[in-house]
């Protein structure tokens, strides 16, 4: 620690330390990336088990397995864990692994802070999960924790929940600062911003969103804390405050948050589709601009989650129009991907299958989003399973599929071994079927009038709920295949070449598989993968 | 093979009407002009999305099928085109504008709450609704009647499982009814799909909404905002009556009031109080304090052996009548009749081994006046 | 770009220890607040919180001295310096957004919710529930005076707040002067201007405390005084915390200058603190305008 005998990096040949301390004290972007990814996988399973508990209770009408108060805790924790524990850390893990090797940097810009960002997370989640065991139970007010249910009427554990959210916020902000500093400052000489791979671009924009909105989340939970313990009246009309104020501030964070969970996914898909179409990404520039427009628009649409709170008409119209507009840049992205495939030379390895399913199913989720954005119609959809269907379509076959695609795509690079393709394909098809069987019927449930966040329902909803539960167990079980495949791939497997894929493009494929512990000790000579014609063209 | 396929296809086509009867897949058209325009809006947008999907996925699958390497496809070299980008920016904008126009019209209509014939204030409570007819002497609570036995699968579930209440909201057909929504504790949301009304009930504020139903009938809905433990058990039933029937109902309400006042004069024995108290407790208190009075630690206090149950009755009555502000414990003085109050308090003081003695209607009346 | 390679530090124990300390602090604070509200035993929460704070203090001191040490041994290239700059700028941006949430809340209640409660505007029917309540700002009479007794008066912006504004503004000038002198390598002057900045900052904090005392003791302006008090204290309170932190940071910098750290063309630590100080200053201008004056 205070040891003056620093190993100066320029020597560069020291490998990883041995044992547990390698992971505890590491400053290496790959180790930290691995930690993030493993953490995220664990949380995906924890959150998934909660989802299965929910689904099992909803298998039939009536209360069978759990009591309503526990059901609410499951719904809340499931949402929070999947969002903050599974999807976000997975993308940060990918960023850590990939950004340096995509831009030719030796490591992330601020390696020690990088490790700190990670190690805050296990503590934050330990604290959040521990609330489930406290008297009065854990958070039971939904992942959106609307006041006053989450303030005056909340169990005492809400205080720990608030501090856990603060910790996650600190972690995300530091992580995002690191990503921005790395991208802006560490590109290899010659790589201009408009030469960067799209994954790097989408992360640059995501990091900006994170830094802009995580502090707002911190602000809103701080106001909650004050209302709970210090007698303020931010969310209490009796003192001149307003419960709806909570929702405005929360969704000012919350809506950009959902794009934080999808923009890196766009980046991943934009890397994968050109590879397996063996054709250069169509419309690179417009992709960059579309991503930026989505991010900017995301700051002025937040109240589409609040159409039913009774905003004045002008507000309702404003948020309806701006929300609808987001379909335009998102459409541009979809069209560009399709144009990339058009007249390509396609093959369908597992990463490509996941990416294709992403394009189709995310679009379906986007369409239901568009329907939700129509304010008068949203009065019928709001807080029903139609919304649940919408966001699971964009999040599960959206974000989660893109993470799976990324894992398969870069696993050979990370481990040096090929994964088992047959098993990968099997995993894909089971997941694809499982996801649709689980979440498609939820559209019907919602339209037929089933509210969300209920442990028991009227009889007319019984059939589709049964189907959805079966699908959820199928989808959940098939994830075990993924884990098995990854473990096998780490341990052994056919050796992967440096390029791995026939159509691969970008600096990361010029490194060995697996890459050396310190990636680019000397900045590599950058040449545009297409302009210099050594790949693809 | 082909035959089997055809047979399957045919049977499945025949099955469709059957299926859609049981397995409702779409929004209902509803019972008001507004709900029908919402339905139309929903269908238009749905079809537009389907059309776009057909085109986009069509091209995508075309490429997947024809431009695959295994068919010997060679990759083309094009990778950008400004005018294509412009076209596929402009077309969606045009489509969106064509959606926004009918959407705005419907929304503006929904916000026009002028010229109502009847005003009803709806207040959400954890976990029931209160309907107060402004300018009329009608004010009642409406809560779930589905018995716990059905919920806990000890009894067959009835037809309107979880969608049935003791006293529905009654409104006249053909009249514009304005709702003033608010809440007593947390945020609830009053939703009846057939009326296409969903509005949050926010404590301390009032949201306005309205409906005009043409046909008498019974329409069911549910609370649509997570409001705590029994959010799923907070249904709404609206009974729309013809104007004549509505007048009859009004008269009936006045009679009921008188009857209630009379019953409050009568002396009741401890046994009578206990019996009635048990009913009231099961219906109104058990959701929080639990059927056996044990409560839920950390959230709802248990009532077994509590000092309050055996000590001074006045304090006990006070809590029940006026609640504890800022907690889930509501002021039941405004919700229950004096007889119910006396009996439920007596019940609490003498059930589950508590020994607190009985409480009379007179005691309640005295404290209520204060 | 330079040929100097980018410095990637070897393994470090600071991050994991800092995470543990943060956890202790958070858990302790949570336990303490719950105990206070439930009027139960505060010992556990308090000791965890204090323990966590102490650990965090030690760790941060160690971590920063480590970084300073590396910097002074010339391990950092120009590129590293740029990383630090980006890092600090985006950190300040995140702080701005933190305050933005509270300013947003202030604008919302002033322009929307309080008028609605008072019967004005599109949602004025709400006044039905609060008969007799009239909207005003500063909000002296809250809708429910029993639950949230409104203040009897508010702070006069032209007394202490005005002086405080002048103090902070001049401290921005002095810190800039210190920076200029550092660039000219005139150390005694740097020390002088820095010390003056610290004095100005400290006087600000003292005045702010006096103002709070007045608010609580004579004006009835408290956290519980309704939304005016709530927004007033959350904004000025968090600002005050930032001034305190900034002053502490300036003190560290002063010490380092006295010890002979920083050179005229390499003094990022110094600059970072001046940026932070200017940020705190700008936030105050917003506060003075929207919380006190208007
Ligand atoms: C990854 C996360 C993600 C993403 C990407 C989106 C994307 C979108 N979302 Fe979604 N949303 C959520 C996650 C996400 N959402 C979550 C978690 C919630 C619920 C939160 C909660 O309450 O718990 C939610 C809720 C939610 C609501 C509130 C519903 C309610 O509670 O009543 C609304 C309403 O407007 C909405 C709209 C949209 C829109 C318009 C998009 C658009 O970005 C979609 C754009 C995409 C397309 C439209 C498809 C592709 C486009 C084309 C092919 C071009 C041509 C198309 C046309 C011209 C139509 N979302
Ligand atoms: C990225 C985010 C994300 C992801 C990935 C998921 C994944 C899943 N979600 Fe969730 N969900 C949310 C985000 C997410 N969800 C949010 C934000 C909410 C709103 C919360 C709120 O209302 O506040 C929500 C709410 C929500 C509900 C509504 C609850 C309610 O309103 O009461 C339901 C109900 O079916 C559900 C189901 C599922 C299922 C079945 C999965 C599946 O995809 C999960 C699959 C994963 C596994 C199953 C785990 C892995 C496998 C194993 C552990 C092996 C063992 C398996 C077996 C033995 C079968 N989710
Ligand atoms: Cu009331 Cu949900
Ligand atoms: Cu949104």
């Amino acid at each position: 620690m205070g040891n003056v005998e620093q190993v100066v990096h320029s020597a560069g040949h020291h490998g990883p330390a041995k044992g547990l301390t390698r992971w505890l004290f590491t400053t290496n972007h790959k180790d930290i990336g691995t930690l993030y990814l493993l953490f995220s996988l664990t949380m995906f399973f924890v959150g998934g088990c909660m989802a299965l508990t929910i689904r099992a209770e909803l298998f039939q009408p009536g209360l069978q397995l759990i009591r309503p108060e526990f059901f609410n805790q499951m719904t809340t924790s499931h949402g929070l864990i999947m969002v903050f524990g599974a999807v976000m850390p997975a993308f940060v893990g990918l960023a850590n692994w990939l950004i340096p090797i995509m831009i030719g940097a030796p490591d992330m810009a601020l390696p020690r802070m990088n490790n700190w960002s990670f190690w805050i997370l296990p503590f934050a989640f330990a604290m959040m999960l521990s609330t489930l065991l406290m008297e009065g139970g854990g958070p039971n007010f939904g992942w959106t924790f609307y006041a006053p249910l989450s303030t005056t009427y909340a169990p005492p554990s809400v205080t720990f929940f608030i501090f856990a959210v603060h910790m996650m916020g600190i972690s995300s902000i530091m992580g995002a600062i690191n990503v921005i500093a790395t991208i802006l400052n560490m590109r290899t000489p010659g790589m201009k911003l408009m030469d960067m791979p799209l994954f790097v671009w989408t992360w640059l924009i995501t990091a900006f969103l994170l830094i802009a909105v995580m502090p707002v989340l911190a602000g809103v939970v701080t106001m909650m804390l004050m209302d709970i313990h210090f007698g303020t009246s931010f969310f209490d009309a009796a003192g001149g405050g307003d419960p709806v104020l909570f929702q405005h501030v929360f969704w000012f964070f919350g809506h950009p948050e959902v794009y934080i969970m999808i923009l890196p996914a766009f980046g991943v898909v934009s890397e994968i589709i050109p590879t397996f179409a063996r054709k250069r990404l169509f419309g690179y520039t417009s992709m960059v601009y579309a991503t930026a427009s989505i991010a900017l628009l995301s700051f002025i649409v937040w109240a589409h989650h609040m159409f039913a709170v009774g905003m004045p008409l002008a507000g309702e119209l404003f948020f309806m129009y701006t929300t609808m507009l987001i379909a335009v840049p998102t459409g541009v992205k979809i069209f560009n991907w399709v144009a990339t495939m058009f007249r390509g030379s396609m093959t369908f390895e597992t990463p490509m299958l996941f990416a294709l399913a992403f394009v189709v199913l995310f679009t379906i989720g986007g369409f239901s989003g568009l329907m939700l954005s129509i304010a008068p119609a949203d009065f019928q959809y709001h807080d029903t399973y139609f919304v649940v269907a919408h966001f699971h379509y964009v999040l599960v076959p959206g974000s989660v599929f893109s993470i799976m695609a990324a894992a398969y795509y870069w696993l050979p690079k990370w481990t040096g071994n090929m994964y088992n393709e047959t098993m990968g394909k099997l995993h894909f098809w089971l997941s694809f079927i499982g996801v649709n069987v689980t979440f498609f019927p939820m559209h019907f449930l919602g339209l037929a009038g089933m509210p969300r966040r209920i442990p028991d329902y009227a009889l007319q909803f019984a059939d589709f709920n049964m189907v959805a539960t079966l699908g959820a167990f199928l989808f959940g079980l098939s994830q075990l295949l993924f884990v098995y495949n990854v473990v096998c791939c780490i341990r052994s497997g056919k050796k992967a070449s440096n390029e791995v894929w026939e159509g691969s493009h970008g600096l990361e494929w010029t490194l060995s598989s697996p890459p050396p512990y310190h990636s680019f000790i000397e900045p590599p000579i950058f040449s545009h993968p297409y302009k210099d014609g050594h790949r693809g063209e | 093979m082909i035959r089997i396929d055809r047979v399957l296809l045919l049977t499945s086509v025949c099955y469709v009407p059957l299926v859609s009867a049981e397995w409702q897949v779409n929004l209902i058209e509803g019972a008001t002009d507004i709900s029908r325009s919402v339905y139309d809006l929903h269908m238009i947008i749905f079809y537009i999305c389907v059309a776009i999907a057909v085109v986009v996925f069509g091209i995508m699958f075309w490429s997947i099928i024809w431009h695959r390497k295994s068919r010997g496809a060679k990759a083309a070299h094009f990778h950008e085109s400004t005018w294509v980008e412009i076209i596929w920016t402009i077309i969606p904008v045009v489509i969106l504008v064509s959606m926004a126009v009918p959407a705005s019209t419907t929304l503006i209509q929904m916000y026009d709450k002028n010229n109502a014939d009847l005003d009803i204030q709806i207040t959400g409570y954890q976990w029931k609704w209160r309907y107060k007819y402004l300018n009329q002497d009608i004010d009642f609570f409406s809560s779930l009647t589905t018995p716990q036995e059905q919920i806990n699968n000890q009894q067959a579930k009835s037809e309107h499982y979880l969608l049935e209440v003791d006293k529905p909201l009654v409104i006249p057909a053909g009249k514009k009814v304005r709702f003033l929504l608010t809440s007593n504790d947390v945020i609830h949301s009053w939703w009846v799909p057939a009326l296409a009304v969903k509005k949050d009930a926010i404590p301390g504020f009032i949201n306005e909404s309205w409906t005009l139903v043409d046909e008498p009938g019974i329409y069911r809905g549910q609370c649509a905002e997570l409001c705590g433990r029994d959010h799923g058990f907070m249904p709404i039933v609206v009974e729309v009556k013809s104007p004549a029937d509505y007048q009859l109902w009004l008269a009936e309400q006045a009679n009921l009031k008188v009857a209630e006042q009379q019953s409050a004069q009568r002396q009741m024995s401890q046994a009578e109080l206990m019996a009635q108290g048990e009913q009231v407790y099961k219906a109104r208190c058990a959701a929080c304090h639990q059927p056996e009075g044990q409560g839920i630690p950390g959230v709802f206090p248990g009532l077994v052996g509590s000092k309050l149950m055996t000590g001074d009755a006045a304090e006990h009555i006070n809590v029940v009548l006026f609640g504890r502000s800022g907690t889930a414990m509501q002021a039941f003085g405004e919700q229950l009749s004096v007889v119910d109050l006396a009996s439920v308090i007596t019940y609490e003081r003498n059930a589950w081994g508590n020994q607190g003695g009985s409480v009379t209607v007179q005691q309640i009346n005295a404290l209520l006046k204060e | 770009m330079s040929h100097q390679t980018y410095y990637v530090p070897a393994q470090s124990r600071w991050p994991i220890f800092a995470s543990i300390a943060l956890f202790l602090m958070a858990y302790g604070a949570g336990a303490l607040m719950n105990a206070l509200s439930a009027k139960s035993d505060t010992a556990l929460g308090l000791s965890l919180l204090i323990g966590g704070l102490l650990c965090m203090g030690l760790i941060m001191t160690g971590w920063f001295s480590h970084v300073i040490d590396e910097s002074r041994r010339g391990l950092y290239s120009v590129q590293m310096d740029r990383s630090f700059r980006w890092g600090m700028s985006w950190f300040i941006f995140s702080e701005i957004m933190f305050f933005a949430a509270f300013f947003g809340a202030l604008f919302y209640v002033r322009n929307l919710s309080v008028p609605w409660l008072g019967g004005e505007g599109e949602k004025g029917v709400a006044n039905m529930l609060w008969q007799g309540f009239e909207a005003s700002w500063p909000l002296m009479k809250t809708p429910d005076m029993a639950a949230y007794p409104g203040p009897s008066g508010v702070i006069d912006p032209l007394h202490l707040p005005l002086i405080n504004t002048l103090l902070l503004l001049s401290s921005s000038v002095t810190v800039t002067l210190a920076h200029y002198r550092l660039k000219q390598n005139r150390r005694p002057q740097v020390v002088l201007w820095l010390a003056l900045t610290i004095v100005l900052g400290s006087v600000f904090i003292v005045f702010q405390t006096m103002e709070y005392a007045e608010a609580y003791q004579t004006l009835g302006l408290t956290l519980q005084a309704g939304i005016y008090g709530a927004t007033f204290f959350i904004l000025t309170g968090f600002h005050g915390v930032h001034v305190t932190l900034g002053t502490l940071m300036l003190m560290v910098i002063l010490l380092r200058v006295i010890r002979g750290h920083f050179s005229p063309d390499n003094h990022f630590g110094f600059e970072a603190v001046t940026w932070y100080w200017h940020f705190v200053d700008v936030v105050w201008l917003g506060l003075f305008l929207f919380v006190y004056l208007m």
Side-chain angles (χ1 to χ4, degrees), chain C residues 29-292:
Chain C
L32 177 65
M33 285 181 191
N34 272 357
L36 284 174
S37 291
K39 303 201 171 42
S40 60
D41 187 16
T42 55
L44 174 76
L46 202 60
S47 39
L48 282 180
L49 177 61
I50 293 178
L53 277 169
L54 280 178
C55 291
M56 192 57 117
L58 286 176
I59 290 165
M60 283 299 140
T61 318
W63 192 338
F64 280 114
S65 358
H66 195 155
V67 172
I68 292 166
D69 183 60
E70 283 170 358
S71 160
R72 293 184 52 74
R73 285 196 291 139
L75 295 176
Y76 294 168
S77 59
V78 189
Q79 201 185 3
M80 190 74 188
D81 196 57
R82 271 203 304 274
S83 286
F84 284 141
R85 275 160 206 278
W86 280 124
M88 190 66 194
S89 329
W90 287 102
F91 169 66
I92 290 181
F93 175 59
S94 80
E95 291 268 46
I96 293 175
M97 292 308 291
F98 184 65
F99 278 98
F102 300 133
F103 274 110
L106 173 68
F107 297 147
Y108 180 88
V109 293
R110 268 192 77 164
N111 299 316
L112 297 170
S113 73
V114 170
W116 287 338
L117 290 169
E120 297 159 23
E122 219 173 304
K123 294 185 67 182
V125 265
N127 194 240
M128 239 173 88
L129 301 170
W130 308 106
Q131 282 182 1
F133 172 70
E134 275 172 44
S136 67
W137 196 267
L139 186 67
M140 309 301 285
K141 293 255 176 309
T142 63
D144 182 350
M145 285 297 279
Y148 299 98
S152 61
V154 295
I155 305 283
D156 178 1
L158 299 180
H159 281 134
L160 279 183
L162 184 64
I163 301 176
N164 267 346
T165 311
L166 297 176
L167 284 177
L168 274 195
L169 281 181
S170 35
S171 77
S172 252
V173 176
T174 52
V175 86
T176 311
L177 283 174
H179 191 193
Y180 281 146
R181 295 298 174 262
L182 182 63
K183 282 191 191 155
Q184 299 163 349
N185 210 7
R186 290 162 66 183
R187 291 212 171 237
Q189 296 249 14
V190 182
V191 174
L192 180 75
W193 289 120
L194 262 185
L196 194 57
T197 314
I198 295 172
V199 171
L200 290 170
S202 315
V203 175
F204 174 93
I205 298 168
V206 172
F207 282 176
Q208 188 78 24
T209 325
M210 285 164 54
E211 187 182 303
Y212 278 13
E214 186 199 346
Y216 260 77
Q217 282 157 9
T218 57
L219 299 175
L221 177 59
T222 64
L223 279 168
Q224 295 86 354
I227 194 65
Y228 182 78
T231 50
F232 174 83
F233 282 107
I234 203 152
L235 276 160
T236 56
F238 272 108
H239 177 263
V241 171
H242 281 77
V243 178
T244 315
L245 275 177
T247 311
L248 285 175
M249 280 153 59
L250 282 170
M251 289 177 182
V252 174
I253 292 296
L254 178 62
L255 271 180
R256 291 187 61 192
V257 171
I258 293 173
R259 288 215 188 142
H261 291 194
F262 304 123
S263 67
D265 42 32
N266 188 0
H267 49 259
F268 173 68
F270 188 103
E271 273 184 280
V273 174
T274 61
W275 292 354
Y276 193 78
W277 195 252
H278 290 311
F279 147 72
V280 169
D281 202 28
V282 171
V283 172
W284 175 262
L285 287 183
L287 280 179
F288 185 58
L289 198 62
F290 294 114
V291 176
Y292 292 97

Side-chain angles (χ1 to χ4, degrees), chain A residues 394-415:
Chain A
V394 283
L395 282 168
V396 184
S399 312
V400 173
F401 269 25
S402 85
I403 295 164
M404 305 263 172
Y408 282 113
Y409 184 57
W410 281 290
L411 254 184
K413 172 57 61 189
W414 296 339
T415 62

Side-chain angles (χ1 to χ4, degrees), chain A residues 87-143:
Chain A
V87 173
M88 286 170 68
F91 283 128
V92 182
L94 290 176
N96 261 296
W97 249 106
L98 296 172
I99 289 175
I101 60 179
M102 281 181 162
I103 63 173
D107 205 298
M108 294 293 277
L110 304 159
R112 276 181 294 233
M113 191 171 87
N114 199 13
N115 193 29
W116 196 20
S117 310
F118 171 75
W119 276 108
I120 289 176
L121 282 184
F123 291 100
F125 279 88
M127 188 146 110
M128 207 176 79
L129 285 171
S130 74
T131 58
L132 288 173
L133 307 173
M134 290 179 188
E135 196 179 69
N140 55 10
F141 26 64
W143 86 283

